[in-house]
Every structure is written in structure tokens, then in C-alpha cells.
Amino acid sequence: MRLGIFSRPERKAAPAAEERLVVIGVRHHSPACARLVRQAIARHRPAFVLIEGPADFNPHLADLRLEHQLPLAIFSYHASRHRSYASYSPFCAYSPEWEALQVSWEIGATPLFCDLPAWHPDFGERANRYADPHGRRAAAAEAAVAGALGEDGRDAVWDALAEQAPSGELERRLDRYFDLLRPEGGEDPQELARERFMAAHAAWALKEAQNRKVVLVCGGWHAEAIRRLAREADGERPAVPAPTGDERAGSYLVPYDYRRLDRFTGYASGMPSPAYYEQVFARGLDAAADWAENAIAQAMRAAGQVVSTADRVAWHTHAQALAMARGHRARLRSDLLDAALATLVKDGLDQPAAWTRDGAVRAGTHPALVAMLKALTGERRGRLAPGTRRPPLITDIEIRLAEAGLTPDHRARRIELDWSIAADRERAHTLNALRLLGMPGLERLEGPLAPRTAAPRETFRLVLHRDAEGMLIEASRWGGTLPMAAAALLSDRAAQAGGDLKILSLCLADALFAGLLVLENDLTAQLAQGIALSHDMGAIGAAGRLAVQLHRFGEIFGVAAQQALGELCEAVFDKVLQTAESIHNDEEGLRAVPAFAACRDMLRDCPDLDIERDAFLATLGRCLANAETAPAIAGAALGTLVACGKAGAYDVAGRMHRFSRPDQLGDFLSGLFALAREEIAADTAVIDAVRALIDGWHDDAFLTALPALRQAFAFFPPRERERLSRVILRAHGASEAQAEIQALEWMRQPAHATDQAAALALEAIVARRLADAGLV
């Protein structure tokens, strides 16, 4: 059999016209397939070379002729109001598709991509557009081939079958292999639209080429289907689908790297260990094996494992023996890794070696195996040639940064911005929008969300990063200008969030700090609806605290934003007012404490809000009087009254006795301290009351209450906890100096308090048992 020709000895002869179509089925990023493609195209000298790749990139093929540093990828995106999707078509030096392009230009053939645009819905949600959807039958066929060859894993089978095959046998072997995976006539409904599109290109190219041949390079999964469907096509050039209406689509080159290309990091379409296969392609299997041994040894030594000369000799000998036993004509990748596992790794494995399975390396993989695979992955990174076509977003960002004096340099800059200064606000908008897009080299060191009413301040670190250009090209899927892209990204994030109040709140904050006021009304409306429908008081509290913090900055975001934030605060206040008295579950009560904190801030710091203040204070009183109220809610209610000047420390001490049980006191204090920590810390009456209650407990009761008490006192910062410790020590008779020393020791002790409590409990059990046995 001859690979890629319609006429085969075991099948009916095809018409002469079809013999001009040479379909070469390959495995993507295979060195053997790359050599095969080069040899076949050079031998057939076709008029057209059709390549499985996004056809909408054909007008820009000249971009691929520039002097790039591989690897790189075609980044394709498609965006609408309801969906944004991106995918990659990567190339490295040993990709069959890359070789097809190079040899086509060398011999004067016309190369064209012939697949649907990578964003087309027929690709599904596939980020790696070359991935072939092998089903159960294909998996069973691969397992049968592995058993017949005595190989363990798909990649070991491929190396034995293809990478070490003599050049004269490779076509026949691949033909048989792909026939096993997908027999003649085997339909694949998922891929039918793509295969029809590629086959239509083949039929059109045959008609255009007249008597010359046409070569089509595609994944082996598609090869036979394309041959068959090409006979049914009418010869008209298929129209490349284009976005409609308000949809946007585009394709640009982006730098890629070997880590992203490696199948062990989740790239389903290619080969593992890119650096190793680069050596196979450039220097052959034997030289690649020598390189791999050196790379793995260096990586394992860097990881702290001793690899002596004797270890290297044993490893090399073992790999040669495995290769001979398996019938390999050289030390293949599986021989090297299996031998390294046998000679260098001294520990037993809890799971099969990572290279014998498909997919990414799993958590818990032995560190030595991770180091081996990482060494074979390599660190090569691509770089685009000067003059490569770029999306408008890049130019827009460069202009904005230059005008603001923020152009990144190789030396890191610290940028401090004060929102009370108009020029700083504009710079903050730009940097926050870039932060949303994930621009490498930009980091916000200090955020603006502080509980104060002064204009916020932000501090950024900015440095020129080698990945910035590629990442911003990928961000172009969201829009052609910085505000447009950042707004589209946030809109998509908010749409995906549904009713998640935490995500929606963060989206609103990001929109305000990036100056994206166009999103303000939509996000606040979505948040208000989510608050009205939500029963999760923890999420409502988090949203409320963020809203009130933003609202307290005043009109720094603009009058309209201030009004929208006020309405959001009012929605949270109303929700807490409606539900406060119905919370009786202890866990739900703890989760609701931040919601009370948000309402406290509104009562105390936001006089402009239209909220029912008297009704809320009355509700707090009823919560305190109701015996069924959860302890944390009662504490939060009392803390709110204290913080708002409606109750004092003596009121707290008096009401605390209702919650003096060990299983209640910690939760009550958590609510109290969360709402009135500063007021409580200034008066020792509450601490004295807590101490008096605890002094009356036996050890078991104290150990029962300890976790919740620790959580309650965690609301105090370390300096205040130290001061409280001195107060307690002095109350127990310690002098001022003794209290100072002991408090420092308590605050800085290395042992965790929970561990100390467990030790005390164990000591108590031992003492009891000794007493019961009469041994004390």
C-alpha cells in the first residue's frame, strides 16, 4: 500500500483524476511524519499543498514566511455578545504542517490551509484545534496494537511503529495504523463538516491544478474520509465561513513555548517531550538518546538527587538492554525513561509511570519522574519576527502607555497613584484595564479597598516582560481598544458568573477602577437582582462590604457610579433587615456576620443612604431578646449597637451570661468582636466578663470552647492581642514586667495553640487513668 493515494492494491482502482490527489495522514508534531511530508511533496512536486489549518488565515500566509523563532501558533478567536472562544494551531520545527509550508515555498507550490476556521462551532469547545476525537473503538485498536508490539502506552507504540521506521516502510505502517483506528467507511459525525470542507478544497484544487498533483496533509484520523468525500465534491471552492452581525473573529500569530506544546501539560493534539523530539528530528534517534540522558541527569541533580557516574553507566546499559529486548533499532524514549526509573529512582511508585498514560501529569506523581519529563520538555520559547501583523489592540495599548508615560522597560518601575489627582486617575484606569487583561509584567502591589473615605491609592510594579506581546495578542479576542477589550472581558465574566455575588462584586470593582463606566449600570442591576434572590448571607455580606467600601470613596468614580453604589448598598441593607430575625442556625449565623458589618458601616458612615435606620436598630434589639437567635447573630447585633453608640461595655457584660455555655460563647464573641472590636478593646469590662466565665469552667469545657474562642479573638490584630494578654496576666497577679514578658512569649510561641490544647487533653486523660489505677 502507498500512503495518501486513492488507488490501493487491496481496494478498487480509483479513477485517474483521483490518483492526482495525495492525502498524507500524519500525527501532529511527529518528526517522522515531518520528514515523510517533506519527501512526498518534493517527490510529487504538486501544484497545491493543502494543509489542515484555519482557512481564514490564508490571506495572511505571508506572516508565516518571516524569520520567526519557533515555536509559534496561529491564535484564532470568535466573539459575540454571548460567547467568546479562542483556539491555537501551533507549529514547531518538526511539525508536518510547518514542513509542508516550507517545502511548498521551496518548490514553487501554492500552500493553503483547508480546514474550517478554528473558531467554527463544529470544533466544539476544543482549545487545541488539531485534537482528533478518537472514540472507544480507536482506543481499543490502540490497545491491541500496544499488546501486539509489547509496548506500554500510546507514545511508546508510536515511537516503535513510526519514529524508528525505515523511511521506505513508514507510509505502509502509517496506512495500516490509521486504518486500524478508523476503518474504511468509518463515520465520525462530529468531524463530518470539517472533513467535507477539506475534501471540497481538495476537489477544487484538483480542478485548478489541471494535470498536476495536489498534496493534502491532515491528521491520520481524517485521511480516508477526505479521500472518499473528495470524490463526491463538485469542484467548487468552498466559501470560508465569516462572522455575522455583531460577531468578531480574527487570527494572528503568537509566540508559543514547549511547555504549552507538551502533551503532558494537557495539549491533547501533539507529542510529549518537545525538546527530545526536536533532537530526534535534527540529529536522529541515537543522538537524541544521548542528549536525553544528559538532560535528565542534569535535571535530577538540580532537584537534589545524586546521579553518579556508576548510575549513568547502569542506566545507559539498562536502556540498551531494554531496546534490544523490545526489538528497537535504537534507544527510544520509553527505553530511556523505563531504564531511568529502574536505576535512578529508589522509591516505589503509587501509580503507573506518567509516560504510560494519556493526558497531563497527575498530582502526586513522583518528583523524580516530574523532573525527567520536564527535562525532556525543554524551555524553548518562540519569538515573532519584526513586521509580523498585529491586532489593533496592541497599537492602542502602546499609544496609551506612551501618552501616560508608562511604557514598560527592562528595569522594573514602582508606580504610586493617588486617585484624588485627575492625571493619576487616568493612569490608574489604564493600568487596571491592563491588569484585567492579564498583561505579564504588571502587578498591583497595593490595592485600594481600605475601610476609609479618603481617595484610594494604588501601587503598581511595571516591567517589560517577554510574554507581554503574545498575551496581549491573545487578549485581542475581546476588542480592538483597551477599554473595549477590558469591558468585553468583564461582561463575559459577569455573564458566566450567573448569580454568584462574589464574582459580580469583584467585576463591579474592577469596572470602576478600570474606568469602564459603560458596565456600571448592567453590573449593579445584576448584583441587585442577585442579592434579592440569594439566600446565602455570607455572599450577601461580602457583596455588601465591597459595595459600602466603594461607596465611601465618595464621587471619585463619578456621580452616576456613586448613585449606583448607593442603590446597591440599600439593596443589601434591606435584605439583611428582612432576614436577620430568621437566622437560628449556628453555622449560618457565623456566615451572616459580614452582612451585619456592612450594615454597621452604612449606619455609621453613610448618612446619604436611604435606609430604614430605626427599623434596623429595632430589629437588632429583637434579635438580642429572642432566645432562638443564633449566638453569632446575637453577638453581631449587640456589636452593631455598641459600634453605633446605642449600647456600652456594661450592656455587653450583662448580656453575655445568656451565651455562657462553652458551645455558645465563642460564636457570640465572634459576632461581637467582628462588629465592635475597637470599642470592646478600649474597655476591659468585657474582657473581665469573659475571663470570669472561663475561670468557672472545668478543663473539658475549656477545650470544647477553645477553637471557637480562638476564632473570636482572631479579630484582634497581634498588637491588641498582646495588650489583652497583659491585662489578663495582671488580673491573675503578675507584675507589669512579668505580664510584658509572658505576653510576648504567648504571642510568639512556635507551637500552635490547637496542638497545645490537644497535648493538654491527652495529659488530662493520662492523669485520670493513673488516678483510677491508684498510681498517682
Side-chain angles (χ1 to χ4, degrees), residues 210-262:
Q210 297 179 354
N211 294 323
R212 297 180 64 188
K213 290 187 176 183
V214 172
V215 169
L216 189 149
V217 179
C218 64
W221 182 258
H222 307 291
E224 181 55 35
I226 290 173
R227 295 187 190 100
R228 174 174 50 81
L229 293 170
R231 294 193 289 266
E232 303 171 3
D234 59 10
E236 295 297 318
R237 186 170 188 172
V240 178
T244 59
D246 61 350
E247 297 176 332
R248 293 179 294 105
S251 293
Y252 295 91
L253 293 183
V254 293
Y256 221 60
D257 60 64
Y258 274 179
R259 182 189 60 80
R260 296 173 74 182
L261 193 65
D262 193 337

Side-chain angles (χ1 to χ4, degrees), residues 31-43:
C33 290
R35 286 191 293 269
L36 172 64
V37 165
R38 170 169 283 276
Q39 293 164 4
I41 293 175
R43 183 173 71 250

